[in-house]
PDB file of all heavy atoms in Angstrom:
ATOM      1  N   VAL V1245      -2.153  -2.707   0.534  1.00 98.00           N
ATOM      2  CA  VAL V1245      -1.498  -2.743   1.862  1.00 98.00           C
ATOM      3  C   VAL V1245      -0.289  -1.805   1.798  1.00 98.00           C
ATOM      4  O   VAL V1245       0.554  -1.939   0.931  1.00 98.00           O
ATOM      5  CB  VAL V1245      -1.016  -4.199   2.162  1.00 98.00           C
ATOM      6  CG1 VAL V1245      -0.145  -4.230   3.447  1.00 98.00           C
ATOM      7  CG2 VAL V1245      -2.207  -5.124   2.324  1.00 98.00           C
ATOM      8  N   GLN V1247       2.939  -0.564   3.909  1.00 98.00           N
ATOM      9  CA  GLN V1247       3.830  -0.760   5.021  1.00 98.00           C
ATOM     10  C   GLN V1247       5.046   0.127   4.834  1.00 98.00           C
ATOM     11  O   GLN V1247       5.343   0.512   3.683  1.00 98.00           O
ATOM     12  CB  GLN V1247       4.305  -2.233   5.104  1.00 98.00           C
ATOM     13  CG  GLN V1247       3.336  -3.149   5.769  1.00 98.00           C
ATOM     14  CD  GLN V1247       3.156  -2.968   7.274  1.00 98.00           C
ATOM     15  OE1 GLN V1247       2.164  -3.390   7.823  1.00 98.00           O
ATOM     16  NE2 GLN V1247       4.139  -2.352   7.947  1.00 98.00           N
ATOM     17  N   ARG V1306      -0.474   0.268   7.615  1.00 98.00           N
ATOM     18  CA  ARG V1306       0.061  -0.847   8.403  1.00 98.00           C
ATOM     19  C   ARG V1306      -0.945  -2.002   8.285  1.00 98.00           C
ATOM     20  O   ARG V1306      -2.028  -1.817   7.819  1.00 98.00           O
ATOM     21  CB  ARG V1306       0.311  -0.493   9.880  1.00 98.00           C
ATOM     22  CG  ARG V1306       1.341   0.669  10.029  1.00 98.00           C
ATOM     23  CD  ARG V1306       1.669   0.866  11.468  1.00 98.00           C
ATOM     24  NE  ARG V1306       2.466   2.036  11.698  1.00 98.00           N
ATOM     25  CZ  ARG V1306       3.766   2.070  11.745  1.00 98.00           C
ATOM     26  NH1 ARG V1306       4.461   0.955  11.546  1.00 98.00           N
ATOM     27  NH2 ARG V1306       4.428   3.177  11.946  1.00 98.00           N
ATOM     28  N   SER V1307      -0.557  -3.138   8.780  1.00 98.00           N
ATOM     29  CA  SER V1307      -1.352  -4.317   8.469  1.00 98.00           C
ATOM     30  C   SER V1307      -0.948  -5.526   9.341  1.00 98.00           C
ATOM     31  O   SER V1307      -0.200  -5.354  10.323  1.00 98.00           O
ATOM     32  CB  SER V1307      -1.108  -4.692   7.001  1.00 98.00           C
ATOM     33  OG  SER V1307       0.249  -5.093   6.865  1.00 98.00           O
ATOM     34  N   HIS V1308      -1.358  -6.695   8.903  1.00 98.00           N
ATOM     35  CA  HIS V1308      -0.955  -7.946   9.547  1.00 98.00           C
ATOM     36  C   HIS V1308       0.552  -8.171   9.487  1.00 98.00           C
ATOM     37  O   HIS V1308       1.090  -9.007  10.191  1.00 98.00           O
ATOM     38  CB  HIS V1308      -1.715  -9.114   8.960  1.00 98.00           C
ATOM     39  CG  HIS V1308      -1.801  -9.133   7.470  1.00 98.00           C
ATOM     40  ND1 HIS V1308      -2.407  -8.120   6.782  1.00 98.00           N
ATOM     41  CD2 HIS V1308      -1.385 -10.041   6.529  1.00 98.00           C
ATOM     42  CE1 HIS V1308      -2.375  -8.389   5.475  1.00 98.00           C
ATOM     43  NE2 HIS V1308      -1.748  -9.515   5.307  1.00 98.00           N
ATOM     44  N   TYR V1309       1.257  -7.414   8.618  1.00 99.00           N
ATOM     45  CA  TYR V1309       2.715  -7.553   8.529  1.00 99.00           C
ATOM     46  C   TYR V1309       3.392  -7.026   9.765  1.00 99.00           C
ATOM     47  O   TYR V1309       4.526  -7.430  10.051  1.00 99.00           O
ATOM     48  CB  TYR V1309       3.263  -6.907   7.251  1.00 99.00           C
ATOM     49  CG  TYR V1309       2.964  -7.830   6.059  1.00 99.00           C
ATOM     50  CD1 TYR V1309       1.831  -7.732   5.312  1.00 99.00           C
ATOM     51  CD2 TYR V1309       3.838  -8.906   5.809  1.00 99.00           C
ATOM     52  CE1 TYR V1309       1.527  -8.609   4.298  1.00 99.00           C
ATOM     53  CE2 TYR V1309       3.560  -9.796   4.812  1.00 99.00           C
ATOM     54  CZ  TYR V1309       2.406  -9.642   4.032  1.00 99.00           C
ATOM     55  OH  TYR V1309       2.141 -10.570   3.043  1.00 99.00           O
ATOM     56  N   GLU V1310       2.708  -6.174  10.529  1.00 98.00           N
ATOM     57  CA  GLU V1310       3.300  -5.729  11.809  1.00 98.00           C
ATOM     58  C   GLU V1310       3.567  -6.942  12.705  1.00 98.00           C
ATOM     59  O   GLU V1310       4.462  -6.922  13.543  1.00 98.00           O
ATOM     60  CB  GLU V1310       2.386  -4.751  12.550  1.00 98.00           C
ATOM     61  CG  GLU V1310       2.243  -3.409  11.834  1.00 98.00           C
ATOM     62  CD  GLU V1310       3.546  -2.587  11.852  1.00 98.00           C
ATOM     63  OE1 GLU V1310       4.289  -2.691  12.823  1.00 98.00           O
ATOM     64  OE2 GLU V1310       3.749  -1.845  10.908  1.00 98.00           O
ATOM     65  N   ASP V1311       2.830  -7.981  12.503  1.00 98.00           N
ATOM     66  CA  ASP V1311       2.978  -9.183  13.329  1.00 98.00           C
ATOM     67  C   ASP V1311       4.194 -10.020  12.990  1.00 98.00           C
ATOM     68  O   ASP V1311       4.505 -10.983  13.685  1.00 98.00           O
ATOM     69  CB  ASP V1311       1.658 -10.000  13.280  1.00 98.00           C
ATOM     70  CG  ASP V1311       0.515  -9.214  13.911  1.00 98.00           C
ATOM     71  OD1 ASP V1311       0.501  -9.107  15.136  1.00 98.00           O
ATOM     72  OD2 ASP V1311      -0.311  -8.698  13.152  1.00 98.00           O
ATOM     73  N   VAL V1312       4.858  -9.690  11.890  1.00 98.00           N
ATOM     74  CA  VAL V1312       6.151 -10.276  11.601  1.00 98.00           C
ATOM     75  C   VAL V1312       7.241  -9.201  11.521  1.00 98.00           C
ATOM     76  O   VAL V1312       8.349  -9.492  11.152  1.00 98.00           O
ATOM     77  CB  VAL V1312       6.150 -11.129  10.264  1.00 98.00           C
ATOM     78  CG1 VAL V1312       5.386 -12.404  10.461  1.00 98.00           C
ATOM     79  CG2 VAL V1312       5.639 -10.334   9.092  1.00 98.00           C
ATOM     80  N   LEU V1313       6.875  -7.971  11.890  1.00 98.00           N
ATOM     81  CA  LEU V1313       7.876  -6.850  11.882  1.00 98.00           C
ATOM     82  C   LEU V1313       8.112  -6.429  13.318  1.00 98.00           C
ATOM     83  O   LEU V1313       9.009  -6.923  13.982  1.00 98.00           O
ATOM     84  CB  LEU V1313       7.354  -5.695  11.001  1.00 98.00           C
ATOM     85  CG  LEU V1313       7.285  -6.040   9.491  1.00 98.00           C
ATOM     86  CD1 LEU V1313       6.459  -5.027   8.735  1.00 98.00           C
ATOM     87  CD2 LEU V1313       8.685  -6.134   8.915  1.00 98.00           C
ATOM     88  N   VAL V1314       7.189  -5.567  13.838  1.00 98.00           N
ATOM     89  CA  VAL V1314       7.401  -5.075  15.185  1.00 98.00           C
ATOM     90  C   VAL V1314       7.371  -6.258  16.181  1.00 98.00           C
ATOM     91  O   VAL V1314       8.125  -6.310  17.148  1.00 98.00           O
ATOM     92  CB  VAL V1314       6.383  -3.964  15.555  1.00 98.00           C
ATOM     93  CG1 VAL V1314       4.955  -4.473  15.571  1.00 98.00           C
ATOM     94  CG2 VAL V1314       6.704  -3.319  16.850  1.00 98.00           C
ATOM     95  N   ILE V1333       0.111 -16.120   6.774  1.00 98.00           N
ATOM     96  CA  ILE V1333      -0.223 -14.898   5.976  1.00 98.00           C
ATOM     97  C   ILE V1333      -0.454 -15.289   4.516  1.00 98.00           C
ATOM     98  O   ILE V1333      -1.409 -14.830   3.901  1.00 98.00           O
ATOM     99  CB  ILE V1333       0.925 -13.831   6.122  1.00 98.00           C
ATOM    100  CG1 ILE V1333       0.875 -13.219   7.527  1.00 98.00           C
ATOM    101  CG2 ILE V1333       0.792 -12.765   5.052  1.00 98.00           C
ATOM    102  CD1 ILE V1333       2.020 -12.243   7.828  1.00 98.00           C
ATOM    103  N   ASN V1334       0.433 -16.148   3.997  1.00 98.00           N
ATOM    104  CA  ASN V1334       0.278 -16.548   2.582  1.00 98.00           C
ATOM    105  C   ASN V1334      -1.064 -17.265   2.369  1.00 98.00           C
ATOM    106  O   ASN V1334      -1.747 -17.054   1.379  1.00 98.00           O
ATOM    107  CB  ASN V1334       1.433 -17.440   2.156  1.00 98.00           C
ATOM    108  CG  ASN V1334       2.701 -16.611   1.943  1.00 98.00           C
ATOM    109  OD1 ASN V1334       2.640 -15.393   1.834  1.00 98.00           O
ATOM    110  ND2 ASN V1334       3.854 -17.279   1.924  1.00 98.00           N
ATOM    111  N   GLU V1337      -3.868 -14.674   2.527  1.00 98.00           N
ATOM    112  CA  GLU V1337      -3.956 -13.814   1.304  1.00 98.00           C
ATOM    113  C   GLU V1337      -4.432 -14.635   0.093  1.00 98.00           C
ATOM    114  O   GLU V1337      -5.076 -14.118  -0.771  1.00 98.00           O
ATOM    115  CB  GLU V1337      -2.589 -13.164   1.051  1.00 98.00           C
ATOM    116  CG  GLU V1337      -2.284 -12.118   2.135  1.00 98.00           C
ATOM    117  CD  GLU V1337      -0.919 -11.464   2.031  1.00 98.00           C
ATOM    118  OE1 GLU V1337      -0.112 -11.905   1.187  1.00 98.00           O
ATOM    119  OE2 GLU V1337      -0.658 -10.498   2.773  1.00 98.00           O
ATOM    120  N   LYS V1349       0.617  -5.067  -2.378  1.00 98.00           N
ATOM    121  CA  LYS V1349       1.264  -4.627  -1.146  1.00 98.00           C
ATOM    122  C   LYS V1349       2.484  -3.753  -1.483  1.00 98.00           C
ATOM    123  O   LYS V1349       3.316  -4.156  -2.300  1.00 98.00           O
ATOM    124  CB  LYS V1349       1.729  -5.855  -0.383  1.00 98.00           C
ATOM    125  CG  LYS V1349       0.567  -6.788  -0.008  1.00 98.00           C
ATOM    126  CD  LYS V1349       0.971  -8.064   0.656  1.00 98.00           C
ATOM    127  CE  LYS V1349       1.807  -8.953  -0.176  1.00 98.00           C
ATOM    128  NZ  LYS V1349       1.875 -10.346   0.291  1.00 98.00           N
ATOM    129  N   ALA V1397       9.850 -10.738   5.205  1.00 98.00           N
ATOM    130  CA  ALA V1397       8.449 -10.579   4.857  1.00 98.00           C
ATOM    131  C   ALA V1397       8.311 -10.434   3.344  1.00 98.00           C
ATOM    132  O   ALA V1397       7.401 -11.038   2.743  1.00 98.00           O
ATOM    133  CB  ALA V1397       7.827  -9.371   5.571  1.00 98.00           C
ATOM    134  N   LEU V1398       9.175  -9.632   2.740  1.00 98.00           N
ATOM    135  CA  LEU V1398       9.117  -9.422   1.306  1.00 98.00           C
ATOM    136  C   LEU V1398       9.438 -10.692   0.518  1.00 98.00           C
ATOM    137  O   LEU V1398       8.812 -11.076  -0.448  1.00 98.00           O
ATOM    138  CB  LEU V1398      10.082  -8.314   0.870  1.00 98.00           C
ATOM    139  CG  LEU V1398       9.764  -6.936   1.402  1.00 98.00           C
ATOM    140  CD1 LEU V1398      10.949  -6.000   1.310  1.00 98.00           C
ATOM    141  CD2 LEU V1398       8.584  -6.302   0.632  1.00 98.00           C
ATOM    142  N   CYS V1401       6.647 -13.606   1.427  1.00 98.00           N
ATOM    143  CA  CYS V1401       5.207 -13.339   1.237  1.00 98.00           C
ATOM    144  C   CYS V1401       4.875 -12.566  -0.048  1.00 98.00           C
ATOM    145  O   CYS V1401       3.827 -11.989  -0.159  1.00 98.00           O
ATOM    146  CB  CYS V1401       4.615 -12.619   2.430  1.00 98.00           C
ATOM    147  SG  CYS V1401       4.780 -13.558   3.964  1.00 98.00           S
ATOM    148  N   SER V1402       5.832 -12.549  -0.998  1.00 98.00           N
ATOM    149  CA  SER V1402       5.472 -11.940  -2.302  1.00 98.00           C
ATOM    150  C   SER V1402       4.992 -13.084  -3.166  1.00 98.00           C
ATOM    151  O   SER V1402       5.814 -13.885  -3.625  1.00 98.00           O
ATOM    152  CB  SER V1402       6.637 -11.187  -2.895  1.00 98.00           C
ATOM    153  OG  SER V1402       6.202 -10.477  -4.055  1.00 98.00           O
ATOM    154  N   ALA V1406      -0.668 -12.223  -4.088  1.00 98.00           N
ATOM    155  CA  ALA V1406      -0.562 -10.972  -3.311  1.00 98.00           C
ATOM    156  C   ALA V1406       0.877 -10.485  -3.416  1.00 98.00           C
ATOM    157  O   ALA V1406       1.648 -10.631  -2.473  1.00 98.00           O
ATOM    158  CB  ALA V1406      -0.956 -11.205  -1.871  1.00 98.00           C
ATOM    159  N   TRP V1408       4.308  -8.212  -3.488  1.00 98.00           N
ATOM    160  CA  TRP V1408       4.882  -7.052  -2.821  1.00 98.00           C
ATOM    161  C   TRP V1408       5.600  -6.165  -3.837  1.00 98.00           C
ATOM    162  O   TRP V1408       6.226  -6.710  -4.788  1.00 98.00           O
ATOM    163  CB  TRP V1408       5.940  -7.495  -1.815  1.00 98.00           C
ATOM    164  CG  TRP V1408       5.522  -7.730  -0.409  1.00 98.00           C
ATOM    165  CD1 TRP V1408       5.520  -8.893   0.251  1.00 98.00           C
ATOM    166  CD2 TRP V1408       5.097  -6.711   0.552  1.00 98.00           C
ATOM    167  NE1 TRP V1408       5.087  -8.737   1.541  1.00 98.00           N
ATOM    168  CE2 TRP V1408       4.814  -7.375   1.718  1.00 98.00           C
ATOM    169  CE3 TRP V1408       4.902  -5.361   0.463  1.00 98.00           C
ATOM    170  CZ2 TRP V1408       4.356  -6.714   2.872  1.00 98.00           C
ATOM    171  CZ3 TRP V1408       4.455  -4.683   1.608  1.00 98.00           C
ATOM    172  CH2 TRP V1408       4.150  -5.338   2.765  1.00 98.00           C
TER     173      TRP V1408
END
Side-chain angles (χ1 to χ4, degrees):
V1245 171
Q1247 279 290 158
R1306 301 186 188 268
S1307 65
H1308 42 302
Y1309 282 92
E1310 291 293 327
D1311 295 287
V1312 288
L1313 293 165
V1314 65
I1333 288 175
N1334 286 342
E1337 292 177 351
K1349 301 175 295 198
L1398 293 162
C1401 300
S1402 190
W1408 267 115

